[in-house]
Amino acid sequence: MSSILTNNSAMVALQTLKSINMDLGKVQSEISTGKTVESAKDNAAVWAISKVMSSDVEGFKAISDSLSLGQATVGVALDASESVTDLLTEIKGKIVNSQEENVDRAKIQTDIKALSDQISSIVGAAQFNGLNLLNDSGITLEEQNANILSSLDRAGDGTVSASEISVSRTDLGTSKAQLSATVAVAGGAEGGTAVAAGTTLNDTGATLAIVAAGDNVATEGGTAFSLRLTGASADGVFTPADFTTGTATLASDIVYVAKEGDTARDIGEGLKAAFDVWRLENNVTTDQIDLQVTDTGLTATSDMTDANDTIALGIDTVAAATGQTNKGAGALAALGAIDVSTDEGANLALEAIEGLIQTSIDTAADLGSSGRRIETQADFVGKLTDNLTSGIGALVDADMEAASAKLQALQTQQQLGVQALSIANQAPQTILSLFR
């Protein structure tokens, strides 16, 4: 049935042309933007996924910058620690030379002092962007480690957590522990159980237990632990007679400034290091008195005491003065106590330098491991960023070859649609011939 009021053919042709024009507009948009999913209305699920992944890519780009900064910081510290090791090795050579009797030990000591000053200079300058991994008092947990942002970890439920690479900081300085104020020792053993006065130390040793915060587990950072050492030699078996360290003020004691979370062993190791410095300064040999670290504190021994000789030890604690902090000793503090001008000093120096070299080697090795880990992570983050970018492209990027072919087809369909609509619009005119 033909009608001059309703032209079904024209309506079908018009709807077809509208559909073709819509598809043509979408293809032209894909070609102009390069994306098949430009907004949420194109494909809400894919658009949402791509936006989350895009935010991760931006995050990993920032992480890459953080890792680059970390690499540079660790690299500076590593170079410095290796230089310190070389200088300590050179100092060892000087100390070995001082063992001879027909050498000018005063000049050798001058050389050692100059090399020691150079070590202090290197450690002080080994910073990058204000962060020095080799010059840290390490009083709090925050100061003990430098945390470098290394990754963003997204869980299955969408939550994101940051991962960090923790680089241990150390203090390769040569300074001794410093207290914020001179504090008199009132006696007693607040920080540990003292070896009673009159105790004769021998090969079996006497244990000195360290109480850390009351439970031998951890202590508050910044608390100074001071070792008191007194003795009496009735027959002159050991020298110097009557050890008197720690009987006056803590400022001149064998002191270790605790870090946050230190165990009794940590405190013992710190006191042992300070004790070794004191031995060098006072020409005291390990035969006269020696300390060994245990899980609960220290064990003191002597190979030169008998029933006529007594040595007593004790530990006092003192918190920092109000508004101030106690500063821990540098790991190379014993370097400042080396003095090869005497036979005894030269012998003690040779014993001490080995430990200092090992300390710097351990520091360099730790930094090398951390540097390698940061380098590996930086390489991984770069590859991960590339893969995420490729994944986003696979989701939203347009296939330009397909879009080009589709554009040609739709343009042809558009022309046919226009022609079909034109024919359909002319159909009512044929009805006029019936009335002629």
Side-chain angles (χ1 to χ4, degrees):
M1 182 186 75
S2 297
S3 171
I4 60 173
L5 298 178
T6 304
N7 189 337
N8 290 320
S9 297
M11 288 190 291
V12 171
L14 181 59
Q15 290 297 325
T16 300
L17 184 58
K18 285 182 178 181
S19 177
I20 292 172
N21 287 338
M22 184 179 297
D23 291 342
L24 185 61
K26 184 177 180 180
V27 171
Q28 288 175 333
S29 176
E30 290 180 6
I31 292 173
S32 62
T33 64
K35 292 184 177 181
T36 187
V37 179
E38 173 65 18
S39 64
K41 68 180 182 180
D42 295 331
N43 189 322
V46 171
W47 180 85
I49 293 172
S50 68
K51 286 301 179 183
V52 171
M53 294 175 67
S54 295
S55 70
D56 286 347
V57 168
E58 290 303 314
F60 279 114
K61 288 180 180 179
I63 288 172
S64 181
D65 293 338
S66 173
L67 288 169
S68 296
L69 184 62
Q71 277 184 290
T73 303
V74 173
V76 168
L78 178 58
D79 289 342
S81 62
E82 290 176 348
S83 296
V84 168
T85 301
D86 292 339
L87 289 172
L88 287 172
T89 302
E90 188 174 348
I91 289 176
K92 179 181 177 180
K94 302 289 185 183
I95 293 174
V96 171
N97 289 337
S98 72
Q99 305 300 307
E100 299 292 338
E101 295 182 358
N102 59 340
V103 294
D104 190 339
R105 285 178 173 166
K107 288 186 173 58
I108 293 177
Q109 181 62 33
T110 300
D111 289 342
I112 291 175
K113 179 63 168 59
L115 291 171
S116 299
D117 291 342
Q118 182 60 29
I119 289 175
S120 297
S121 176
I122 289 174
V123 171
Q127 60 83 28
F128 185 86
N129 195 32
L131 177 59
N132 193 325
L133 298 178
L134 300 181
N135 189 12
D136 175 43
S137 59
I139 291 176
T140 66
L141 279 175
E142 289 76 12
E143 292 174 328
Q144 290 179 51
N145 299 299
N147 297 318
I148 300 171
L149 185 63
S150 62
S151 180
L152 292 177
D153 303 329
R154 185 177 295 278
D157 59 1
T159 59
V160 178
S161 59
S163 295
E164 296 177 331
I165 294 177
S166 182
V167 181
S168 297
R169 301 175 67 178
T170 187
D171 188 354
L172 285 184
T174 59
S175 61
K176 297 178 64 175
Q178 299 175 0
L179 301 183
S180 59
T182 300
V183 183
V185 178
E190 299 175 5
T193 304
V195 177
T199 299
T200 300
L201 304 184
N202 50 39
D203 292 338
T204 59
T207 299
L208 182 65
I210 296 173
V211 179
D215 58 3
N216 252 352
V217 174
T219 188
E220 181 181 355
T223 299
F225 287 75
S226 175
L227 181 66
R228 289 183 290 109
L229 177 62
T230 57
S233 175
D235 54 6
V237 173
F238 66 89
T239 58
D242 297 332
F243 297 125
T244 57
T245 296
T247 58
T249 63
L250 287 176
S252 60
D253 272 356
I254 302 167
V255 176
Y256 169 69
V257 178
K259 305 180 185 69
E260 196 77 23
D262 268 356
T263 64
R265 173 173 280 276
D266 295 328
I267 297 169
E269 289 176 347
L271 285 174
K272 172 67 164 59
F275 172 77
D276 289 340
V277 176
W278 175 85
R279 281 201 314 105
L280 281 174
E281 293 175 334
N282 292 275
N283 291 330
V284 175
T285 67
T286 54
D287 288 339
Q288 292 164 347
I289 184 167
D290 191 23
L291 295 182
Q292 298 298 324
V293 182
T294 68
D295 288 336
T296 57
L298 297 167
T299 296
T301 60
S302 175
D303 295 335
M304 302 179 68
T305 58
D306 57 25
N308 297 313
D309 311 308
T310 60
I311 299 177
L313 301 103
I315 295 178
D316 298 280
T317 60
V318 58
T322 303
Q324 301 184 50
T325 58
N326 295 321
K327 178 173 172 43
L332 303 182
L335 193 60
I338 288 178
D339 183 0
V340 299
S341 59
T342 64
D343 289 340
E344 191 63 41
N347 292 332
L348 291 173
L350 187 59
E351 175 187 333
I353 194 64
E354 292 295 339
L356 298 180
I357 291 175
Q358 191 59 52
T359 296
S360 65
I361 289 174
D362 291 343
T363 299
D366 289 342
L367 288 170
S369 296
S370 297
R372 178 59 179 170
R373 183 182 175 190
I374 294 172
E375 181 181 341
T376 301
Q377 182 68 13
D379 183 59
F380 168 73
V381 167
K383 292 179 180 178
L384 179 60
T385 301
D386 291 343
N387 288 331
L388 286 174
T389 302
S390 296
I392 294 171
L395 289 173
V396 302
D397 288 356
D399 184 342
M400 300 305 290
E401 291 87 349
S404 177
K406 192 174 183 180
L407 177 65
Q408 295 292 329
L410 287 172
Q411 287 175 337
T412 301
Q413 292 177 30
Q414 184 186 49
Q415 294 173 2
L416 292 174
V418 170
Q419 186 68 30
L421 181 59
S422 176
I423 294 172
N425 285 334
Q426 293 175 1
Q429 296 180 3
T430 60
I431 296 177
L432 293 177
S433 63
L434 299 176
F435 297 96
R436 292 175 183 172

